Amino acid sequence: MKRWWILALFVLAPALAQVNVTFWHSMDGPAGEAIDRFAERFNAAQSDYRVVPRYVGDYREAETKLIAALRTGSAPVLYQAEIAFFPRLVAEGTVQPLDAFTGGLDPEFVADFFEAPWNYGVVDGVRYGLPFNTSTPVLFYNADALRTLRLPVPGDWKTFEDDALKLTTRRSKGFIAILDSWIFEAMVTSRGGSLVTADGRPNFASPEAVDALAMLRRLVDKKAAIPRNLAEAQFAQLDFVRTKGMMVFASIANWPAAEKYSFAFELGVAPVPREPGGKVPMGGAELVVLKGASAEEARGAFAFWRFLMQPENLVEWIHASYYVPLRRSVLPLLEDFYAENPYRKVAFEQIARAVPRPRVPQFAVWRDYLDEALEKALKGRTDPRQALEEAQKKALEVR
């Protein structure tokens, strides 16, 4: 009997030694399904680590859950941190430095990454984040409607406003305005402005921001736009699919989820309109290892990230999510995917003029004030400048 127990312990020892790597993420739909597949394949390919992925809601919901988990000591090992939330985690000492892992990477592997997503994970010379999903905002539009009216795809903001007005009828609006700080940020940076000054202060009442919000207010006043806040995101999607709105800004990553609907029109995708010298804000998230993770758990998290970065996995990820390729060597593997529908490449083509979201820890709080300002100006009757000045005042009080 004793020999049986000894044999059983010997056989079970590798399984008992396996390290669990809990992974909280905000990817649902096809992207979430891809993450589950990656975890299953990674777990089957080796016996040291077991990645346990868990969908914890959209970025805002995930942030709330993480903050609560950090207080109770129940945080995951690996976390998908939206890039505006990422600097706050670093400033609060919540995530681990990862230079000990990335320092051993092959220089050719590192050089294969596009600079913008690779560099974002470094704060004050220390790497805390690993690139995972990178996007840019794009303009989704009803191509049939523009073609019928012989309207140009808007490349600047005057053309955009003109198109929105001309696309408006008794049953349809020209534009669906999503009241979200990232989308509004795109309208500001594409005009050559910024929501944060070079020295890290809120810049919500800048000329470019006031101009952007005033344009949106004009469209609402002329009944050419439907304002939708973040809680109404699903309604906004349905507005577009059902041709109640003809144009809408969103992340390129919203496209796969929208494909579950049947479009009765040709879906067009275009870059964000911009003025000379204008930019677009980079979106997406970084993978971070939480402070409470053990050395072995951190090692397992890094091994899983390395697995995700394999070219064949990146190709599968982009097919599922439409996010931007992170590595140059992946581009030839995506030629057929982009050739099948050239619109899929719009977000990637904007990366050359993409800028990081404000790398200020307080911005994760400031953006809530900005969302409030957008709603007051476009769903209420507050003057655009006044709404932005109120948001600026609240942001200045955050320490």
Side-chain angles (χ1 to χ4, degrees), residues 3-34:
R3 288 179 179 176
W4 184 88
W5 279 107
I6 292 172
L7 179 61
L9 288 171
F10 178 78
V11 172
L12 290 173
L16 293 174
Q18 193 175 51
V19 176
N20 272 1
V21 177
T22 49
F23 174 29
W24 285 11
H25 66 85
S26 294
M27 301 286 98
D28 60 358
E33 293 165 6

Side-chain angles (χ1 to χ4, degrees), residues 196-249:
V196 176
T197 63
D199 60 353
R201 293 167 60 83
N203 194 34
F204 296 169
S206 68
E208 294 85 1
V210 172
D211 183 53
L213 190 50
M215 177 199 72
L216 294 176
R217 176 62 177 269
R218 286 194 300 272
L219 291 175
V220 170
D221 287 345
K222 294 175 181 178
K223 306 199 182 305
I226 308 170
R228 293 290 194 187
N229 59 32
L230 289 176
E232 299 170 322
Q234 186 69 28
F235 294 112
Q237 194 169 66
L238 291 172
D239 288 338
F240 183 65
V241 172
R242 295 172 179 172
T243 66
K244 292 183 178 180
M246 297 299 176
M247 299 187 293
V248 64
F249 290 103

